[in-house]
Structure formats: C-alpha cells, structure tokens
Amino acid sequence: MRFHWGHGVVVTFVLFAMMIGYMVVVAVRSDVPMVSKDYYRQEENFNAHAEAVSHAKEAGNLLRMEETATGLTFICPKEWVKTSQGEIYFYRPSDARLDFKVAFTPDEEGRQSIHTEPLAKGYWRAKLQLTSNGKSYFKDYAFQVQ
C-alpha cells in the first residue's frame, strides 16, 4: 500500500486532536489559584481604592515604611495616632497560604514595628490601609526577607 496525501491529512488531524486532548487534560488537572479569594468583591470597590491611593500620594512621606535590622516599622504622623484605624495586609505573591493581616496600631510617636523573623524568606508586599480624620489612605510596599 502506498502512502497517499490523503493519509497525511488524516494523520495530521489525528495528531492535532491528540495534542489538543493532552492540553485539555493538563489544564483541567492544574491548580490555578486566583491572586486573592475575594477578587471580584475588590473590583467592586475600585473607585474607593483609587481615591485612597490618591490620598496617600498627597500625604507624601507622611506615610512610610522603614526596614530595620529586626523587621519593619510603619510610620504615620503623630497627629493621626488618635484618629487613625486600619490594617496592614502582608501578601506573599508566590503562596497565598502565607498571607495574613495585622491591625495598624501605632504608638504615641506614630510608629508600629513588626518583626520579619517569622516570615518565610523571599519577596513580600505590605499593603497599609488606614482611615484618619475621615480620609482613607492606601500604600503598597515591597520588601525582601533574607
């Protein structure tokens, strides 16, 4: 039996179908976690978030994070201490199971220190979200734990 061009077309279609089938099986078996569990709820609050980011930019260096030998220090103005409330969300992009939140409770100097010793080594992001004097502020910081 001679190999005819029609046989080549059939073999090509069969190989293509097998490749697509393999890709579907791999895609179904792989776990693709979303960046955050409440992704869609966060999208609904996009305008409020954009306004909080804008307020933080206006505040400039009043809201900041400093890296120290033992950890991180979050700083806000002394005048905001009594009127501010918020939280710091520690976000690990590579593993959502390590994410956690800490209440933002600055001392009378406007500082809150957090030790990084218990954190896994690698890249982290700290998202500071607070409200002071009726204004919302949001600032995102990146840091590396050695």
Side-chain angles (χ1 to χ4, degrees):
M1 182 166 131
R2 239 175 69 189
F3 190 75
H4 191 267
W5 68 269
H7 296 127
V9 170
V10 171
V11 168
T12 302
F13 280 133
V14 169
L15 290 175
F16 180 74
M18 287 173 53
M19 181 188 69
I20 294 297
Y22 173 75
M23 291 175 68
V24 167
V25 169
V26 168
V28 168
R29 287 185 183 172
S30 66
D31 181 32
V32 182
M34 294 190 79
V35 173
S36 63
K37 294 186 187 331
D38 60 348
Y39 174 79
Y40 294 109
R41 186 181 60 79
Q42 289 178 2
E43 281 298 313
E44 292 174 358
N45 300 328
F46 180 76
N47 287 338
H49 176 73
E51 188 174 306
V53 169
S54 173
H55 290 154
K57 283 184 182 176
E58 290 171 7
N61 204 23
L62 296 177
L63 283 176
R64 64 186 184 279
M65 179 189 83
E66 293 178 355
E67 293 187 51
T68 63
T70 59
L72 306 170
T73 301
F74 293 88
I75 302 168
C76 74
K78 293 178 187 178
E79 302 81 41
W80 293 10
V81 172
K82 293 184 179 178
T83 61
S84 68
Q85 62 181 20
E87 66 184 13
I88 306 166
Y89 177 62
F90 287 90
Y91 169 70
R92 178 72 186 257
S94 62
D95 191 355
R97 295 172 293 175
L98 298 175
D99 296 355
F100 65 97
K101 293 180 183 179
V102 174
F104 181 65
T105 52
D107 61 11
E108 59 275 351
E109 294 295 315
R111 297 172 165 271
Q112 180 175 355
S113 295
I114 297 176
H115 292 285
T116 56
E117 193 174 298
L119 299 179
K121 293 184 186 317
Y123 180 76
W124 284 84
R125 296 187 80 81
K127 299 178 179 187
L128 172 63
Q129 182 173 2
L130 72 103
T131 304
S132 182
N133 298 323
K135 269 187 163 180
S136 295
Y137 299 89
F138 179 86
K139 213 152 187 192
D140 192 359
Y141 307 97
F143 62 96
Q144 189 84 19
V145 175
Q146 302 295 332

